Amino acid sequence: QGTRDNPPAHTALRDRLLAAVVTCFKRHGAAAIDTPVLELRETLMGKYGEQAKLIYELQDQGGELLALRYDLTVPFARYLAMNKITNIKRYHIAKVYRRDNPATTRGRYREFYQCDFDIAGQFDPMIPDAECLKIVHEILSDLQLGDFLIKVNDRRILNGVFAVCGIPESKFISTCSTIDKLDKMPWEEVRSEMVGEKGLSPEAADRIGEYVQLHGGLDLIERLLQDPKLSQNKLAKEGLGDMKLLFEYLTLFGIAGKISFDLSLARGLDYYTGVIYEAVLLQQENDHVEEPVSVGSVAGGGRYDGLVGMFDPKGRKVPCVGVSIGIERIFSILEERMKASGEKVRTTETQVLVATPHKHLLAARLKLISELWDAGIKAEMLYKKDPKLLKQLQYCEDTGIPLAAIVGEQELTDGVVKLRDVTTREEVRM
Amino acid sequence: QGTRDNPPAHTALRDRLLAAVVTCFKRHGAAAIDTPVLELRETLMGKYGEQAKLIYELQDQGGELLALRYDLTVPFARYLAMNKITNIKRYHIAKVYRRDNPATTRGRYREFYQCDFDIAGQFDPMIPDAECLKIVHEILSDLQLGDFLIKVNDRRILNGVFAVCGIPESKFISTCSTIDKLDKMPWEEVRSEMVGEKGLSPEAADRIGEYVQLHGGLDLIERLLQDPKLSQNKLAKEGLGDMKLLFEYLTLFGIAGKISFDLSLARGLDYYTGVIYEAVLLQQENDHVEEPVSVGSVAGGGRYDGLVGMFDPKGRKVPCVGVSIGIERIFSILEERMKASGEKVRTTETQVLVATPHKHLLAARLKLISELWDAGIKAEMLYKKDPKLLKQLQYCEDTGIPLAAIVGEQELTDGVVKLRDVTTREEVRM
């Protein structure tokens, strides 16, 4: 339940997507690592808050208590701490497991791929952070998914906002998770959840509302740096200073136009400590719509400077920043688009079918196909002793093989092969 | 326990190996499929005989009872039956799980990759079977693993031998598993296991011994086809006829020289119904050794015509033949070889490091690297505002980056870049 077999057409499209992502990760000098799908249960416990109940646990069959990994970030942090690695740029593409009741119709499953790129190490501020955003920009552009927007914020700015609005620190995280709903519900509903469920005062909620509905660019950062209350808060000031630096770097990268500093972005996970970001595709319903509609997040990430320290016996921290590409959502978008356009993915790459026009020529086919394979040519033949030529050509059309190499008695005598273009039906002897 | 993290150097070597295997599978026109790592427990039960105790089971957290896949063949058969597919050529490369106590020093782990290629469908005899052997031959040649031998046999021939030696049919499978030890122990020990543990008569064991110690080529097949006892057995005759056909096809493929018809090959799994094979690497201890020594199996497979029917409600059979490449063993062999030769794998593919010779040039680096990335060039820079040139060049040497693109004040003014070959130290302005 909640999983699926991936037939050739799915796998071919997914492999193409993954290849594009890997190409980008390698372009940025990342090395690949791989960790087991099994983790000790205790490694995963206390890292995912309430979501921990979605972790798949293995039966106790003697030995260690195990679970299936829930994401790739916690195993990465464990890997760094265990091996005392303080400096690495790595990517990891693998499946993770969540005992969820996901909307399988929208391409969400209990088993799904994550594509993570992370930079660990003590570096000058915002340089690796900016690179993560550049990567998101490159991948979404490469995949030609249409217009998109990358929202950025900083946990320190949010915490600063909460502080100057008079929220007690114990309510920061739960307020964050309410704020995070602003992309799905209007401010009025978010406000009433804050006051009703989270127990904030109406005045505090209104003060928060003034901030978290802001979004913009460098101008907004400058304005908030001048904000009489916020500029007095140390954390917020730090966050805003770094945000300004980030926009400088993004301008040098030529991508600031796609970035929106958005104070409503909060992100669910507890472990973020600095900049956070999320990319959304924009759907132009038609040319007359003024505001483009978001069709959901396709990438996200942020800075988590405390996670590795949780696995180190001495609590030594390794600052990390990373991004995860939402390949499954991108897959469903592309799949639907192909369905709509009637485009078909070829599931094989065969270049030529070795065929014979009449009986008793199996030996000739076997010899020829073997020569082609040895020359690195992708070739197939039908597994029949005496297949009809029509059937062989039909197989080419069905599977998209562009060429047929035909050997009959005459060709054998002349020492040639008849090469036929399946679409145009043109033939050359060679 | 029994699993490991794969650091960049491992992952880079494994990715290279897997790419070679995929290239071969695609050359033969196979499509990729992917199935979940989770299977229903009942799907796996009754398929692996005694080995079933090594299956990882998931905790009952409500809902279905699940287990981790034990191999890729049973999920493949389930996939065919569930989707009523009667005809496919597919490959599947993925990890499988066995709660074993494997010899991790020899590269065997509880989580390991399998690389499977299978052809399902009703075809003329031995044509797909011969292609599986051609694939093994191509992969082992491509990987330059040294000399190898592919042993072939047929379950029907073995069963025929057992029958004419007077073994009751109920003891065929257990006799098979004893025969399978002939590559690790001498005939005398195998014989005493047959008589002692398996309860065969000494005469029957001796009669079997005369057959299973035979190995050869077409000549041996012809000889056994004339064998007064064996030629009277229907199954053996069928198997020998097909074996002859197989050798004909392998001769046309030009690979018969590496194939040995070996009556001691039995293979452990119950589900094989026809031809079986196993590839072993041969180690020439030194030039004077007469018989080359086997260093273990690196590929294996065979025909299993009954497995899909076990998953079909009406028992409809789909004939299948396939091969599994033992990528983990090949990996350990290559890894040891590289250790011995001191060769290092590059873990990244970065072509150029963007560097600056003095301070206050971060903006220039960010602009240049962004241009390089956008042009598809694999480029890195150090995440420091003002790194020393020496440190930057040192980083190139440490990680194998061949080029450094250097921009200083002078280059900025002149609108050029200084491109430095890290090894030769030659520089060109461009």
Side-chain angles (χ1 to χ4, degrees):
Chain A
Q1 202 197 324
T3 68
R4 63 169 168 181
D5 291 319
N6 286 289
H10 280 197
T11 310
L13 178 58
R14 176 165 289 114
D15 283 353
R16 202 196 289 174
L17 275 179
L18 293 178
V21 171
V22 168
T23 298
C24 177
F25 290 167
K26 285 187 174 174
R27 190 158 61 226
H28 288 260
I33 72 159
D34 189 31
T35 64
V37 86
L38 303 166
E39 290 281 348
L40 290 178
R41 259 184 232 176
E42 60 184 66
T43 299
L44 306 189
M45 292 309 149
K47 309 301 183 305
Y48 302 106
E50 279 194 9
Q51 302 179 1
K53 64 177 186 296
L54 303 181
I55 293 171
Y56 274 102
E57 298 185 358
L58 271 86
Q59 179 119 307
D60 182 359
Q61 294 172 287
E64 302 150 317
L65 294 180
L66 303 170
L68 299 187
R69 65 181 161 213
Y70 186 82
D71 68 6
L72 302 177
T73 310
V74 167
F76 175 56
R78 175 197 55 74
Y79 169 77
L80 295 185
M82 258 178 75
N83 296 285
K84 297 193 173 36
I85 296 165
T86 55
N87 194 330
I88 191 174
K89 177 160 52 177
R90 83 89 177 80
Y91 71 89
H92 190 186
I93 294 182
K95 288 178 183 171
V96 302
Y97 298 85
R98 298 186 184 180
R99 235 171 46 75
D100 221 335
N101 282 316
T104 52
T105 46
R106 286 189 302 142
R108 297 214 40 232
Y109 288 85
R110 289 180 165 186
E111 172 183 64
F112 61 97
Y113 271 105
Q114 285 201 333
C115 303
D116 282 20
F117 172 99
D118 294 82
I119 300 170
Q122 186 68 58
F123 301 118
D124 281 329
M126 308 317 279
I127 309 180
D129 313 60
E131 183 166 1
C132 289
L133 293 171
K134 178 76 171 89
I135 282 174
V136 173
H137 190 280
E138 284 178 25
I139 290 175
L140 297 184
S141 306
D142 288 351
L143 293 177
Q144 299 181 293
L145 294 170
D147 205 12
F148 60 87
L149 186 72
I150 308 174
K151 301 177 187 175
V152 296
N153 197 2
D154 193 299
R155 276 284 170 95
R156 292 168 299 174
I157 299 176
L158 273 178
N159 287 346
V161 165
F162 298 157
V164 305
C165 294
I167 313 295
E169 213 177 314
S170 60
K171 289 191 176 167
F172 280 10
I173 285 182
S174 72
T175 308
C176 243
S177 71
T178 306
I179 298 286
D180 205 40
K181 298 177 183 168
L182 263 177
D183 59 341
K184 287 179 206 100
M185 46 168 88
W187 165 246
E188 279 313 313
E189 281 177 46
V190 169
R191 182 185 178 281
S192 72
E193 183 176 316
M194 280 181 173
V195 177
E197 288 173 40
K198 304 293 164 83
L200 304 193
S201 72
E203 297 73 31
D206 288 335
R207 282 192 296 266
I208 290 181
E210 279 169 39
Y211 286 107
V212 296
Q213 292 181 85
L214 300 172
H215 53 94
L218 255 180
D219 49 330
L220 177 61
I221 301 169
E222 296 289 3
R223 183 143 61 90
L224 292 177
L225 275 169
Q226 306 305 323
D227 183 280
K229 285 181 290 175
L230 215 49
S231 61
Q232 299 308 308
N233 180 283
K234 193 174 162 283
L235 264 184
K237 227 177 130 185
E238 255 182 53
L240 286 165
D242 277 349
M243 188 60 71
K244 193 175 158 185
L245 204 54
L246 179 66
F247 265 82
E248 244 175 63
Y249 297 163
L250 297 176
T251 305
L252 289 164
F253 282 162
I255 62 168
K258 294 271 190 218
I259 316 282
S260 167
F261 170 41
D262 187 326
L263 279 100
S264 73
L265 178 72
R267 299 218 20 104
L269 287 165
D270 295 1
Y271 53 61
Y272 291 116
T273 55
V275 66
I276 46 179
Y277 32 81
E278 201 166 285
V280 291
L281 296 188
L282 304 175
Q283 200 169 34
Q284 222 83 36
E285 289 283 356
N286 60 57
D287 292 336
H288 306 291
V289 169
E290 298 208 344
E291 194 86 353
V293 189
S294 156
V295 293
S297 155
V298 289
R303 177 163 284 284
Y304 51 102
D305 288 348
L307 192 59
V308 177
M310 292 174 73
F311 294 105
D312 186 276
K314 291 182 182 162
R316 276 168 299 209
K317 289 187 176 186
V318 177
C320 293
V321 64
V323 63
S324 189
I325 307 296
I327 201 77
E328 302 283 358
R329 195 163 291 183
I330 295 172
F331 175 83
S332 353
I333 292 167
L334 290 181
E335 198 189 14
E336 263 180 36
R337 235 185 247 177
M338 289 179 77
K339 225 179 262 171
S341 72
E343 189 192 337
K344 269 179 78 178
V345 208
R346 266 196 82 183
T347 58
T348 61
E349 299 177 8
T350 309
Q351 298 165 294
V352 59
L353 184 85
V354 174
T356 38
H358 40 251
K359 288 192 171 184
H360 310 303
L361 287 167
L362 176 60
R365 271 192 291 148
L366 290 172
K367 266 187 100 154
L368 177 56
I369 201 167
S370 172
E371 274 184 60
L372 294 173
W373 286 331
D374 292 344
I377 291 168
K378 295 170 192 141
E380 284 186 72
M381 56 176 266
L382 297 196
Y383 299 123
K384 295 277 170 193
K385 263 167 74 179
D386 297 310
K388 294 221 163 65
L389 185 58
L390 204 67
K391 275 230 162 163
Q392 296 173 81
L393 295 174
Q394 189 59 46
Y395 182 79
C396 291
E397 289 185 9
D398 292 347
T399 62
I401 301 176
L403 297 170
I406 303 170
V407 268
E409 286 298 349
Q410 190 58 52
E411 286 76 22
L412 276 180
T413 310
D414 300 349
V416 299
V417 162
K418 202 157 67 182
L419 197 64
R420 178 184 172 110
D421 183 309
V422 174
T423 315
T424 66
R425 301 180 183 188
E426 269 174 65
E427 294 182 343
V428 278
R429 286 160 61 89
M430 53 197 299
Chain B
Q1 203 197 323
T3 68
R4 64 169 167 181
D5 291 320
N6 287 290
H10 279 198
T11 309
L13 178 58
R14 176 166 291 113
D15 283 352
R16 202 194 290 172
L17 274 180
L18 293 179
V21 172
V22 168
T23 299
C24 177
F25 289 167
K26 285 187 175 173
R27 191 158 61 225
H28 287 261
I33 72 159
D34 189 28
T35 64
V37 85
L38 303 166
E39 290 282 347
L40 291 179
R41 259 183 232 175
E42 60 185 64
T43 299
L44 305 189
M45 292 309 148
K47 309 300 183 304
Y48 303 106
E50 279 195 7
Q51 302 180 2
K53 64 178 188 294
L54 303 180
I55 293 172
Y56 274 102
E57 298 185 358
L58 272 86
Q59 178 120 306
D60 182 359
Q61 293 172 287
E64 300 150 318
L65 293 180
L66 303 170
L68 299 187
R69 65 180 161 216
Y70 185 83
D71 67 7
L72 302 177
T73 309
V74 167
F76 175 55
R78 176 199 50 76
Y79 169 77
L80 295 186
M82 259 178 75
N83 295 284
K84 298 194 173 35
I85 296 166
T86 55
N87 194 331
I88 191 175
K89 177 159 56 177
R90 84 89 179 79
Y91 71 90
H92 191 186
I93 294 183
K95 287 178 184 170
V96 302
Y97 298 85
R98 300 185 183 181
R99 237 171 46 76
D100 220 336
N101 282 316
T104 51
T105 45
R106 286 188 301 142
R108 298 215 38 232
Y109 287 85
R110 289 180 166 187
E111 173 183 63
F112 61 96
Y113 271 105
Q114 285 201 334
C115 302
D116 282 19
F117 173 98
D118 293 83
I119 300 170
Q122 186 68 57
F123 301 118
D124 281 330
M126 309 317 281
I127 310 180
D129 313 60
E131 183 166 2
C132 288
L133 293 171
K134 177 77 170 84
I135 282 174
V136 173
H137 190 279
E138 284 177 25
I139 290 175
L140 297 183
S141 306
D142 288 352
L143 294 176
Q144 299 181 292
L145 294 170
D147 205 12
F148 61 87
L149 185 73
I150 308 175
K151 301 177 188 174
V152 296
N153 197 3
D154 194 299
R155 277 284 171 93
R156 292 168 296 175
I157 300 176
L158 273 178
N159 287 346
V161 165
F162 298 157
V164 305
C165 294
I167 314 295
E169 215 177 314
S170 61
K171 289 190 175 167
F172 280 11
I173 287 185
S174 72
T175 308
C176 243
S177 72
T178 306
I179 298 286
D180 205 39
K181 298 178 182 166
L182 264 177
D183 60 341
K184 288 178 207 98
M185 47 169 86
W187 165 247
E188 277 314 314
E189 281 177 48
V190 169
R191 182 184 179 281
S192 72
E193 184 177 316
M194 281 182 174
V195 177
E197 288 174 40
K198 303 293 163 83
L200 304 193
S201 72
E203 297 73 30
D206 288 336
R207 281 192 295 266
I208 291 179
E210 279 170 39
Y211 286 108
V212 298
Q213 291 182 85
L214 300 173
H215 54 93
L218 256 180
D219 49 330
L220 177 59
I221 301 170
E222 295 289 4
R223 183 143 61 89
L224 292 178
L225 274 169
Q226 306 306 322
D227 183 280
K229 283 180 292 176
L230 216 48
S231 60
Q232 300 308 307
N233 181 281
K234 191 173 163 283
L235 265 183
K237 225 175 130 186
E238 254 181 54
L240 286 166
D242 278 350
M243 189 59 71
K244 193 175 159 187
L245 204 54
L246 180 67
F247 266 80
E248 242 174 64
Y249 297 161
L250 297 176
T251 304
L252 289 163
F253 283 161
I255 62 170
K258 294 271 190 215
I259 316 282
S260 167
F261 171 40
D262 188 326
L263 278 100
S264 73
L265 179 71
R267 300 221 15 108
L269 287 165
D270 295 1
Y271 54 61
Y272 291 117
T273 55
V275 66
I276 47 179
Y277 31 82
E278 201 167 287
V280 291
L281 297 186
L282 304 175
Q283 201 168 36
Q284 221 83 37
E285 288 283 356
N286 60 57
D287 292 338
H288 305 291
V289 169
E290 298 208 344
E291 194 87 352
V293 189
S294 156
V295 293
S297 155
V298 289
R303 177 163 284 283
Y304 51 101
D305 289 348
L307 192 59
V308 178
M310 292 175 74
F311 294 105
D312 187 276
K314 292 184 183 162
R316 275 168 297 211
K317 289 188 174 184
V318 178
C320 293
V321 64
V323 62
S324 189
I325 307 296
I327 201 77
E328 302 284 358
R329 195 163 292 183
I330 295 173
F331 175 83
S332 346
I333 292 166
L334 290 180
E335 198 188 15
E336 264 181 36
R337 234 184 247 176
M338 291 178 79
K339 225 179 260 172
S341 72
E343 190 192 338
K344 268 178 79 178
V345 207
R346 266 197 82 183
T347 58
T348 61
E349 300 177 6
T350 310
Q351 298 164 293
V352 59
L353 184 85
V354 174
T356 39
H358 41 252
K359 289 191 171 185
H360 310 305
L361 286 167
L362 176 59
R365 268 192 293 148
L366 290 172
K367 267 187 99 153
L368 177 57
I369 200 167
S370 173
E371 275 183 59
L372 293 174
W373 286 330
D374 292 343
I377 290 166
K378 295 171 191 139
E380 283 185 74
M381 55 176 267
L382 297 196
Y383 300 122
K384 294 277 170 192
K385 263 166 75 177
D386 297 310
K388 295 223 163 64
L389 185 58
L390 204 67
K391 274 229 164 165
Q392 296 173 80
L393 295 175
Q394 188 61 48
Y395 182 78
C396 291
E397 289 185 8
D398 292 347
T399 62
I401 301 176
L403 297 170
I406 304 169
V407 267
E409 286 298 349
Q410 191 58 52
E411 285 76 22
L412 275 180
T413 310
D414 300 349
V416 298
V417 162
K418 202 158 68 183
L419 198 64
R420 178 185 171 110
D421 182 309
V422 174
T423 315
T424 67
R425 300 180 184 189
E426 269 174 67
E427 293 184 342
V428 278
R429 284 160 59 90
M430 53 196 298

